[in-house]
Amino acid sequence: MYRQIDRPELTLDLGAGLRYTDVDIGVTLQGGTLPTQSILVDDVWVDPVLAFRFARRLSDTWQVTGFFDVGGFGLGSDLTWQALIGFTYEIDDRWSARAGYRHLHIDRSNNARGYELDLSGPIIGATYRF
């Protein structure tokens, strides 16, 4: 990441990197009038990604942070992207707590079988700076 804006109230970073993905998913469709089918996806790949990240201070103790990246470009997956938005509360000079929401989308073709994955949900975490 390369810092484009570095002010006390706002930071903005642009960058590039790689996302390693290891998928192992099994699905069984129980047959009613059709026969039962099982599908297994076992796949590993690396995607190039372009990203940006920002942090905006809301007060002395609160800030909002965001992250977005997009990649794949047909080199690993056809398209992948993720977005994250979160709020950070600075407890003191060393400790902070974070909560937010993340969504990850993957569209990949593998051995003539394509699949799309959408994973999303809340995130929580704590940071200790030393």
Side-chain angles (χ1 to χ4, degrees), residues 3-52:
R3 179 115 328 148
Q4 299 292 312
I5 298 173
D6 189 7
R7 292 184 276 184
E9 74 282 0
L10 175 69
T11 60
L12 175 67
D13 304 323
L14 300 176
L18 301 171
R19 177 182 297 124
Y20 171 84
T21 306
D22 185 344
V23 175
D24 186 6
I25 299 174
V27 177
T28 299
L29 304 173
Q30 297 295 330
T33 58
L34 298 173
T36 299
Q37 290 186 330
S38 292
I39 300 169
L40 175 64
V41 176
D42 188 7
D43 201 1
V44 176
W45 71 93
V46 176
D47 284 315
V49 293
L50 301 174
F52 86 89

Side-chain angles (χ1 to χ4, degrees), residues 77-98:
S77 58
D78 298 326
L79 174 68
T80 182
W81 62 268
Q82 76 171 329
L84 178 140
I85 187 78
F87 292 91
T88 301
Y89 178 73
E90 295 176 359
I91 299 164
D92 58 30
D93 289 343
R94 297 195 180 272
W95 284 98
S96 62
R98 177 173 297 151

Side-chain angles (χ1 to χ4, degrees), residues 100-116:
Y101 193 83
R102 177 182 177 217
H103 181 84
L104 172 65
H105 173 82
I106 299 170
D107 183 358
R108 175 149 163 89
S109 299
N110 180 21
N111 301 329
R113 176 182 284 169
Y115 54 90
E116 287 188 35

